[in-house]
Amino acid sequence: MLFWILVAVLTAVVGAVLLYPLLRGAKVADDGRAGEAAVYRDQLRELDRDLAGGLISAEEAGYARAEIGRRLLAISNAERGVEKKPAGGHYFSQAFIIVLLPIVCLCLYLAKGDPGLPSQPLQARLDHPGNDLAISIVKVEQHLAQHPDDGKGWEVLAPIYLKTNRIGDAEVAYRNVIRLLGANAERLGNLGEILIMKADGVVTAEARTTLQQSLALDANNPRALFYLALALEQDGKVAEAKTAFEALAKQSPADAPWMAAVNDHIAKNGGTADMAAAAPANANAPGNPTSEQVAAAEAMNSGDRQQMIRGMVESLDAKLKEDPRNFEGWMRLIRSYAVLNDKDHAADALKRGLKAFPADGDEGKQLVALAKELGLPTEVTQQ
């Protein structure tokens, strides 16, 4: 009962606040007209004094008196108009505020609200965060504030920070994990990757050292091998980078998720991507080469293989013009043009793909991320 009394009181207060300007409007208008009329009457008296003092002629006084009289008559007509229809234009607004607005709000609350729901303070939400990621983060942070040497807690929090794009916090968390739980290939790899993300994709000296430590613990760590090869590429050591990427491609499964990026860098450094490895894991995706095409490509020399790949890419481009809702096709087309070192067509494919999958959607974000990975001009994403 107390709840509904409070609701009624608040509704009345809000209604009064909204009605006050409407009810006051007519009075303000009347007061304004009355003030204008008083000014004109004073002008008439001043005019008589000037005429009596000889300051103006009788003809000039007549003209001035006629003009002042005209203005007084206009104000008088306006006042009579207000008296005939006082605040008539506000009747609907007043009725809406007094009657309809409370009814609409009450119906919405009964449909969406729950007056019987008990209050839940912050501590209760922290105890039962459910699917609320922000509350989960706060809960773990509070725990770590009291137990900063809990390595497992830092290990739980670190990937959450990374998922929410809190790169600096993720770096601190992974450093604490390594300090408290010890270093292994995965933890060092995570820290190295975060250092690269923090540097906007540049493999810094610290990141390189960290990745080399990870590689010393696991010589087949593909993430460390990839970023160390990327470091060679960024240092301008093209031949060494190509060799490193090709070595990673040979030891990786053909359907490994990183193979598309590896082949892009092989092509960027003057090599030729292997068609079987360049194909994405989803072999049934529209536009992928068939097993017969892959077998035929393997039997060709380098020039013929490149010509065949070019034909397949152009065929995929034509299919996407007919069916632009093929997201996997756009991803493959953009990547394929990049592998062929055809940046202009890759940028054009990106632009057309973003028309079908806008950049603010999940698919569009993946297209933008791919463009950044391939070094394509991202200003097309702003158009």
Side-chain angles (χ1 to χ4, degrees), residues 77-152:
N77 291 336
E79 288 177 345
R80 284 197 295 273
V82 171
E83 290 174 358
K84 291 178 182 177
K85 191 177 181 181
H90 298 311
Y91 283 155
F92 178 77
S93 299
Q94 294 170 4
F96 177 78
I97 293 172
I98 295 172
V99 180
L100 297 180
L101 184 60
I103 292 176
V104 170
C105 292
L106 180 62
C107 291
L108 286 174
Y109 182 77
L110 291 176
K112 299 293 184 180
D114 185 0
L117 186 67
S119 61
Q120 192 175 23
L122 177 60
Q123 188 57 50
R125 296 199 300 273
L126 291 175
D127 293 338
H128 305 284
N131 295 324
D132 192 330
L133 184 60
I135 294 297
S136 298
I137 292 175
V138 172
K139 184 176 180 180
V140 179
E141 287 176 336
Q142 286 187 349
H143 169 77
L144 290 173
Q146 298 175 357
H147 306 88
D149 293 332
D150 182 3
K152 290 295 184 182

Side-chain angles (χ1 to χ4, degrees), residues 349-359 363-365 367-368 380-381:
L350 171 65
K351 186 175 181 179
R352 287 184 286 134
L354 288 173
K355 287 183 179 179
F357 300 94
E363 294 89 349
K365 291 178 181 177
L367 290 173
V368 173
V380 299
T381 66

Side-chain angles (χ1 to χ4, degrees), residues 6-349:
L6 291 174
V7 169
V9 171
L10 289 174
T11 303
V13 171
V14 172
V17 170
L18 294 175
L19 284 171
Y20 178 72
L22 300 178
L23 298 175
R24 186 173 175 269
K27 183 178 184 300
V28 171
D30 290 342
D31 291 344
R33 294 190 183 94
E36 290 182 37
V39 170
Y40 293 142
R41 292 191 184 96
D42 288 341
Q43 289 178 348
L44 286 174
R45 288 192 290 270
E46 185 69 22
L47 187 63
D48 291 337
R49 286 194 294 271
D50 290 345
L51 181 61
L55 298 177
I56 61 175
S57 65
E59 183 178 4
E60 292 173 335
Y63 286 139
R65 186 175 287 106
E67 176 61 22
I68 295 171
R70 184 186 65 78
R71 296 182 182 183
L72 275 171
L73 183 61
I75 292 175
S76 176
N77 291 336
E79 288 177 345
R80 284 197 295 273
V82 171
E83 290 174 358
K84 291 178 182 177
K85 191 177 181 181
H90 298 311
Y91 283 155
F92 178 77
S93 299
Q94 294 170 4
F96 177 78
I97 293 172
I98 295 172
V99 180
L100 297 180
L101 184 60
I103 292 176
V104 170
C105 292
L106 180 62
C107 291
L108 286 174
Y109 182 77
L110 291 176
K112 299 293 184 180
D114 185 0
L117 186 67
S119 61
Q120 192 175 23
L122 177 60
Q123 188 57 50
R125 296 199 300 273
L126 291 175
D127 293 338
H128 305 284
N131 295 324
D132 192 330
L133 184 60
I135 294 297
S136 298
I137 292 175
V138 172
K139 184 176 180 180
V140 179
E141 287 176 336
Q142 286 187 349
H143 169 77
L144 290 173
Q146 298 175 357
H147 306 88
D149 293 332
D150 182 3
K152 290 295 184 182
W154 286 111
E155 196 163 34
V156 169
L157 189 58
I160 298 178
Y161 278 149
L162 194 58
K163 182 179 180 181
T164 54
N165 205 32
R166 294 171 59 175
I167 305 301
D169 291 331
E171 178 190 353
V172 172
Y174 275 117
R175 289 188 186 278
N176 284 325
V177 171
I178 293 171
R179 176 176 60 87
L180 296 168
L181 300 181
N184 60 25
E186 182 179 359
R187 292 165 185 164
L188 289 167
N190 288 334
L191 178 58
E193 188 169 34
I194 287 173
L195 292 172
I196 295 170
M197 294 172 64
K198 187 178 178 181
D200 294 327
V202 176
V203 184
T204 62
E206 184 183 8
R208 186 180 309 191
T209 300
T210 304
L211 291 167
Q212 287 171 342
Q213 293 172 351
S214 174
L215 196 62
L217 297 173
D218 180 5
N220 296 317
N221 185 343
R223 175 167 51 181
L225 290 169
F226 176 86
Y227 284 121
L228 290 174
L230 181 62
L232 293 171
E233 178 184 302
Q234 292 175 352
D235 288 343
K237 300 176 180 178
V238 176
E240 295 178 44
K242 181 172 76 72
T243 300
F245 281 119
E246 287 175 342
L248 176 57
K250 289 179 181 178
Q251 75 173 50
S252 301
D255 60 351
W258 57 85
M259 278 307 301
V262 170
N263 279 282
D264 292 340
H265 286 281
I266 291 174
K268 184 177 180 180
N269 289 283
T272 302
D274 180 11
M275 279 195 58
N282 183 5
N284 295 322
N288 284 353
T290 64
S291 57
E292 292 80 6
Q293 289 172 322
V294 172
E298 291 175 347
M300 295 179 179
N301 59 39
S302 178
D304 291 340
R305 184 186 298 119
Q306 286 292 98
Q307 187 66 29
M308 180 178 180
I309 294 175
R310 171 67 69 174
M312 292 172 58
V313 172
E314 291 175 354
S315 175
L316 174 59
D317 199 336
K319 291 179 181 179
L320 288 172
K321 289 178 180 178
E322 298 176 359
D323 179 20
R325 298 303 301 174
N326 177 3
F327 171 69
E328 292 293 338
W330 286 115
M331 292 285 286
R332 178 161 178 77
L333 181 65
I334 295 167
R335 183 179 286 111
S336 298
Y337 275 131
V339 168
L340 294 171
N341 203 27
D342 191 343
K343 298 294 185 181
D344 292 337
H345 279 90
D348 178 66

